[in-house]
Amino acid sequence: MNNFEDFNTFLVQNVGSKTRAIAPTITPSAAFGYESAEEAEGIFDGSVQNPLYARMGNPTNAKLEAIMAKIEGGTDAIATSSGMGAIAMVLTALLESGDEVVCVGGFFGGTYTLVNETLARFGVKGVFFDVDAMKDIEAKISSGVKVVIIESVGNPNLKLPLLQKVIDLCNAHNTLLIVDNTVTPLIIQPLKMGADIVIYSSTKIISGHSAALGGIAVFREVGKNDKLKDTKYSAVHPIVEKAKKKAFFAICKKRAMRDFGMSANAFGSFLTMLGLETLALRTERVNTNVQIVAKLLFEGLRDIEVRHPSLENHEHHDRFKSNFSDGCGPLLTLDCGSKEKAFALLNNAKLLTQTANIGDNRTLALHMRSTIYRDFTPKECDFLGITDGLIRVSIGLESPHTIAEDFIQAAQ
Ligand SMILES: *Cc1c(COP(=O)(O)O)cnc(C)c1O
């Protein structure tokens, strides 16, 4: 599956059932009974595939996981309580105290603080690189690091990485690559390009409705001579030997989800699937809209810098044309020059919803420096592209002309 026609067909056909209840079934139980002592033993040793306890998985989550694994071309997936839950699960499952994690790109605030503050307290060090520092990235990867994490599109700096190059580098050096594909589901398919794990905040575009917090990690199959068998991953080798193809899934469940409990809940997964059903349709609409709005604002706003990779003045416009033919997600940014001007624009606009979310069916906007990035140092803001006048906009399903007109009137 790699076109929107196929995704549209697959998603509606698979989220719904043909017989009995058509909508996904919500299984709200926290615990599950076992038929016999033998079945209990089998469930715990993994030989029987029935639910164990909701912290370790639940039939509603399992449906969402199966659909996500299929659209990514992965072997399996794990739904989590949030996007941060998915990132925290994967990183804590794969890393030990004393390890480094290489972070390529701008970065969502939560991922940045997870690595820079929280994992640092447990002895894991984050090393950050700009997407264009390819020489330094290569030198670091070849020095033996275990894990690299990258965003398919920088949020909110809108830089476009050379994803295939980073994937190839990681594969050449037996390094695991996690791609945060939150803003480009269906558009970029990291596992098919050779990445190991793709993670999402399903709170965003996958749901689209702002009704469910959720995350998901999707894993590739582990093969016989897999890079995961490199001695640098010896801590997880007992699990790899036992779980074989499904090793990433087992590593995450046993080394993170079991003990930290970042598990998704059934009702959340149900709501996520209601959004997932129309993901392809909405993705096409939003990605068309964002380019129209970016162009109209670029032409219509004076003294405000409009930033989007579809605009010719963007530093990665060529990459946009060659690698993001279906778009690069719902975001564009406006640099108003000062906090006061940004606040005035936000407060004058009539259609925007001011919120910390992105990827909603509605158009959302937020001033960055006074909210998500308020605790960041000037140096960190500089690296992440956060200026005093920066507004992040997430374009929705509305008429792009109406949205652009609203921005333009708000800026008068
Ligand atoms: C929102 C977001 C996250 C975190 O997801 P939550 O569901 O809010 O925990 C991670 N990465 C990116 C790119 C995001 O936009």
Side-chain angles (χ1 to χ4, degrees), residues 12-46:
V12 292
Q13 289 279 324
N14 284 273
V15 172
S17 298
K18 295 234 169 17
T19 52
R20 315 218 201 289
I22 286 175
T25 307
I26 307 171
T27 305
S29 196
F32 299 88
Y34 317 128
E35 254 170 39
S36 62
E38 287 75 17
E39 193 194 48
E41 185 181 30
I43 289 171
F44 273 75
D45 76 15

Side-chain angles (χ1 to χ4, degrees), residues 80-87 107-111 151-155 180-183 199-204 212-215 331 356-358 392:
T80 55
S81 52
S82 68
M84 284 318 302
I87 299 172
F107 263 102
F108 173 71
T111 312
E151 289 180 347
S152 60
V153 178
N155 166 11
D180 181 340
N181 201 34
T182 296
V183 299
I199 73 94
Y200 290 97
S201 165
S202 60
T203 319
K204 316 289 169 59
L213 186 73
L331 302 181
N357 196 15
I358 60 167
R392 179 183 70 191

Side-chain angles (χ1 to χ4, degrees), residues 203-346:
T203 319
K204 316 289 169 59
I205 307 166
I206 290 177
S207 288
H209 44 44
S210 284
L213 186 73
I216 195 147
V218 190
F219 312 103
R220 70 162 171 85
E221 184 175 307
V222 170
K224 281 215 165 59
N225 297 315
D226 205 274
K227 65 183 176 183
L228 201 49
K229 304 211 172 154
D230 189 303
T231 50
K232 67 184 164 188
Y233 306 111
S234 57
V236 300
H237 282 173
I239 303 177
V240 178
E241 248 153 61
K242 196 156 172 268
K244 300 196 170 63
K245 286 179 185 173
K246 293 167 81 73
F248 282 119
F249 177 86
I251 291 167
C252 287
K253 285 240 163 144
K254 289 214 156 136
R255 284 172 47 105
M257 184 163 268
R258 183 190 67 196
D259 302 341
F260 291 121
M262 58 281 277
S263 327
N265 72 82
F267 188 57
S269 293
F270 166 78
L271 292 172
T272 302
M273 281 188 273
L274 295 189
L276 184 59
E277 200 164 60
T278 55
L279 176 64
L281 206 57
R282 292 183 289 105
T283 297
E284 280 189 284
R285 166 82 182 177
V286 164
N287 280 278
T288 308
N289 277 4
V290 69
Q291 289 186 53
I292 298 172
V293 175
K295 185 164 182 291
L296 291 170
L297 296 186
F298 182 75
E299 290 162 359
L301 290 176
R302 267 173 292 122
D303 307 325
I304 293 178
E305 191 190 319
V306 184
R307 189 166 152 77
H308 188 265
S310 66
L311 298 172
E312 273 173 29
N313 66 354
H314 188 284
E315 71 268 35
H316 295 149
H317 180 62
D318 286 346
R319 286 179 201 171
F320 177 79
K321 282 195 294 187
S322 54
N323 302 344
F324 292 84
S325 51
D326 295 316
C328 64
L331 302 181
L332 62 85
T333 60
L334 303 175
D335 191 342
C336 302
S338 70
K339 176 180 169 182
E340 290 67 31
K341 285 188 181 150
F343 274 32
L345 188 145
L346 285 167

